[in-house]
Amino acid sequence: VTTGAPVVDGPRLWHSLQELAAVGATRAGGVSRVALTPEDVAGRALVGRWLRDLGGLHHRDEVGNDFWRFGPPDGQPIMIGSHLDTQPNGGAFDGALGVLAGVEVMRTLADHDLPLEVPLELVNWTDEEGARFGMSCIGSSVYAGDLSLEDAYSLTDADGVSFGEALRQAGLAPAAAYPHPAPALYVEVHIEQARVLERQGRPLGLVTGIQSVRWLNARLSGAQTHAGTTPLDERRDAMLAAARVIDLVDSVARASGPEARGAACRLHASPNTGSVIADRVDLLIDLRHPTEAVVAEMHSRLQDEAARIAAAVGVRCTIDPLWTQPALTFDRRAVEALDRALRKLGLTAPRMVSRAGHDAGYVSLVAPSAMLFVRCRAGISHAPDEHAEPDDVELAANALLQLVLDQAGPPPRS
Ligand SMILES: [Zn+2]
């Protein structure tokens, strides 16, 4: 560790995390700042106040993403940030940590009077959690051009309120787009939301990519008959076929290596009533793996074997894709930049693939991006128990500070 190098104020960052967690605090000890609710607006206002006090210039784009710009007014920025929205009764760290680590970096630069040579933007992406409009990472996917503004505006919540209307109701609708170049580099600090780091006894992880996700709909079509009068051998029971397909999904995932994931997550049965053999079942199947080819392989195995298993009980099975997110590899230079910052602090971090989707995945479509994972207790997330240790949080913020100094700070003094 270099002597005299600026370091973040860990207790100050911890205090800010607590202060933000009080916005939308629930009786159960969690945090509810669901996107575009009054709590989300209040959270943005609190963080906005802190950043304005530090001299940040605020811009909001058409999808409600907040950008606070520091340093030179023009030029391609370095971007850091995450999201301030939470799941209903979620935790104090998911998303908040990435934004507030950025706030702490800016506070530390101000403490030490360190000017930025390159513009820096701190971002809060709108609705990362997808808790309200049926789709996650809405703000970052519009920003990256993966989702059109029109399609985003027409998403609706359970009460039929559109995203566009909710944005207006929240007072977040801007007059115009915020014209700015894509950043030279985007770095997001985030809790891991899994137990890999905890098991390895490591505080930080260097994320090299995000695993592939494929959602399939398996439709089992049989015959609707009386559950009491129809002999077992004369049935075409879609529910029985569904049960065997659910088990098959698990077997296929287990046979595809320790990194594979597979589950039937949702079931709709028809007519779904007593005394009646189901004639139709729709299963939502979720398959994941860091390697695209393995997901494709799991998909085709399911396709073949499910049809065979269903046919054995007289049921037809068709499997159709619903939604896919291809496996994503972060830009090597971005990952190396983060790794260099860590090594300057005398730290090493294991490289890992994210099991969950993140805003950085979308930003990576338009700018070199990387993520730093922070160990979280028992891997718990999206729950009041979500917790990261103050020391780990401080370490991550120092790594982010070092990255910002490397990329945008003044030339090192000799
Ligand atoms: Zn998150």
Side-chain angles (χ1 to χ4, degrees):
V1 179
T2 334
T3 47
V7 288
V8 302
D9 182 336
R12 177 171 61 188
L13 170 54
W14 191 256
H15 184 259
S16 295
L17 280 161
Q18 304 304 311
E19 226 181 306
L20 179 60
V23 181
T26 64
R27 283 173 187 279
V31 183
S32 282
R33 282 193 313 273
V34 173
L36 310 187
T37 60
E39 291 76 23
D40 180 22
V41 173
R44 292 170 186 246
L46 176 64
V47 174
R49 236 175 6 254
W50 291 339
L51 290 167
R52 255 193 318 278
D53 287 350
L54 289 162
L57 208 60
H58 181 242
H59 298 275
R60 182 168 286 143
D61 72 7
E62 318 116 289
V63 73
N65 296 321
D66 291 306
F67 302 90
W68 291 275
R69 195 173 175 107
F70 295 87
D74 300 311
Q76 196 182 21
I78 300 297
M79 191 187 275
I80 57 177
S82 192
H83 60 95
L84 294 174
D85 72 312
T86 71
Q87 289 287 338
N89 200 28
F93 297 88
D94 178 2
L97 176 58
V99 177
L100 297 194
V103 171
E104 180 54 36
V105 165
M106 297 320 300
R107 285 175 170 162
T108 306
L109 294 181
D111 290 346
H112 292 81
D113 247 331
L114 289 167
L116 290 165
E117 305 270 303
V118 169
L120 184 132
E121 280 188 350
L122 212 166
V123 61
N124 162 44
W125 303 110
T126 295
D127 200 348
E128 189 276 343
E129 295 292 356
R132 184 169 172 194
F133 298 97
M135 193 189 151
S136 55
C137 299
I138 295 174
S140 55
S141 52
V142 169
Y143 175 84
D146 197 60
L147 174 70
S148 75
L149 197 56
E150 295 67 33
D151 286 349
Y153 282 175
S154 55
L155 294 166
T156 52
D157 70 8
D159 300 321
V161 178
S162 74
F163 181 90
E165 184 52 32
L167 204 60
R168 273 188 296 281
Q169 282 173 5
L172 298 173
Y178 169 36
H180 61 346
L185 176 67
Y186 172 70
V187 173
E188 181 168 350
V189 172
H190 203 283
I191 54 167
E192 185 201 354
Q193 303 176 287
R195 306 187 68 171
V196 177
L197 292 171
E198 192 179 68
R199 289 207 170 103
Q200 294 182 357
R202 309 291 295 271
L204 304 175
L206 202 48
V207 185
T208 55
I210 299 179
Q211 72 177 344
S212 166
V213 186
R214 205 173 282 203
W215 281 8
L216 310 171
N217 186 67
R219 169 161 291 186
L220 292 312
S221 308
Q224 182 179 335
T225 51
H226 195 297
T229 62
T230 319
L232 292 178
D233 287 344
E234 290 174 26
R235 296 177 182 194
R236 295 173 55 216
D237 185 346
M239 191 74 87
L240 175 62
R244 293 183 178 171
V245 170
I246 291 169
D247 190 52
L248 172 69
V249 173
D250 183 68
S251 314
V252 166
R254 283 173 198 278
S256 304
E259 307 244 77
R261 304 282 186 271
C265 298
R266 191 183 69 196
L267 181 151
H268 289 309
S270 150
N272 206 30
T273 189
S275 292
V276 184
I277 300 297
D279 68 330
R280 200 178 78 199
V281 174
D282 283 303
L283 288 178
L284 189 157
I285 297 170
D286 183 311
L287 302 177
R288 302 181 189 225
H289 194 279
T291 305
E292 196 64 43
V294 178
V295 175
E297 170 67 24
M298 286 196 284
H299 181 173
S300 79
R301 269 197 66 191
L302 268 180
Q303 196 101 41
D304 298 345
E305 293 183 29
R308 199 171 46 72
I309 283 176
V313 290
V315 172
R316 203 161 66 87
C317 176
T318 54
I319 296 185
D320 294 309
L322 282 179
W323 174 72
T324 60
Q325 173 134 300
L328 197 145
T329 305
F330 285 142
D331 183 274
R332 182 190 299 234
R333 289 159 304 160
V335 174
E336 294 307 329
L338 195 48
D339 197 17
R340 267 199 310 281
L342 287 166
R343 277 187 276 118
K344 278 191 184 171
L345 300 176
L347 300 168
T348 57
R351 296 187 178 218
M352 56 203 299
V353 171
S354 174
R355 299 304 192 156
H358 288 288
D359 291 313
Y362 289 95
V363 182
S364 77
L365 301 176
V366 292
S369 302
M371 288 186 83
L372 186 63
F373 269 172
V374 181
R375 169 169 60 186
C376 68
R377 188 174 63 199
I380 293 168
S381 182
H382 293 178
D385 288 356
E386 192 178 87
H387 179 79
E389 287 302 319
D391 285 353
D392 294 355
V393 164
E394 183 174 341
L395 219 49
N398 272 320
L400 190 63
L401 171 65
Q402 186 61 56
L403 177 103
V404 167
L405 287 171
D406 290 349
Q407 302 292 322
R413 277 163 281 189
S414 48

